[in-house]
Amino acid sequence: MKDVEFKVLSNEMIAQDIFRMTLDGDTSDITKPGQFVEIKIPGRYLRRPISVCDWSEGKLTLIYKVVGEGTEDLSFLEPGEYLTALTGLGNGYDLRNIPKNPVIAGGGVGVPPMYALAKALKQQGITPYVALGFNSKDDVFYEQEFRALGVPVNVATVDGSHGAKGFVTDIFGDHHDYAFACGPEPMLKAVYNSVKDGQFSFEARMGCGFGACMGCSKKTKHGFKRVCKDGPIFTWEEIVW
Ligand code: FES
């Protein structure tokens, strides 16, 4: 874990209430897709956990939804301004021993970390099938960015205004063996029930964000675990609903 000062390079709206921010700073502590950072919003006490969408040496991309005053403040930051963030938080997805054609299921604000994941899987010769779910066409983002990675992509919207009508699980096709999933809990549960194995990213209210307060504990088959440090990714086998 590192506390890093980042310079804002860009901060733009890419869908309804969804912003993409690119930052310049030390990303050396970010090692796996599915990890998150905790942003200190200038003038606010609590940090905000935001999953990493993409990173490279010295550059970080975050996608966040404006849901309250803190994230609204974040959306006002201009290129050239600075913020600090704790980086390298969370366990991230384990990319060892992954079967050849896993499905990546992302729902709403759970979509961003799946981009770095799809990229990492491609780099190790695995082509995931990407299923993205949103409420409506105005909420859809990153469909083209995923396609540009050279992976098959399908989109579902609840109201049917873009892609197939329904939920991510409605567009799984034949992909029911192994899933990587990130999204709201009802979606995670639906994915869990439609596959035989996989890794699931959970959200929790967080205090510290790095394992010190136990404010984010979650029951698993192996006892209580901290979503922020032992997670946010849990395996299919250990999940208790
Ligand atoms: Fe403090 Fe997880 S938020 S232990």
Side-chain angles (χ1 to χ4, degrees), residues 98-120:
I98 303 302
K100 271 288 167 211
N101 295 108
V103 59
I104 286 183
V109 282
V111 168
M114 304 325 243
Y115 179 73
L117 173 64
K119 213 168 151 180

Side-chain angles (χ1 to χ4, degrees), residues 126-140:
I126 294 170
T127 300
Y129 166 80
V130 177
L132 307 177
F134 302 92
N135 283 323
S136 184
K137 70 173 182 340
D138 293 339
D139 305 310
V140 177

Side-chain angles (χ1 to χ4, degrees), residues 205-216 226 228:
R205 283 198 167 274
M206 287 187 193
C208 66
F210 47 81
C213 75
M214 294 305 285
C216 62
R226 297 159 296 184
C228 71

Side-chain angles (χ1 to χ4, degrees), residues 154-176:
N154 234 325
V155 176
T157 49
V158 177
D159 66 2
S161 54
H162 185 82
K165 182 170 167 42
F167 300 96
V168 274
T169 42
D170 295 324
I171 51 172
F172 273 14
D174 295 334
H175 303 84
H176 293 280

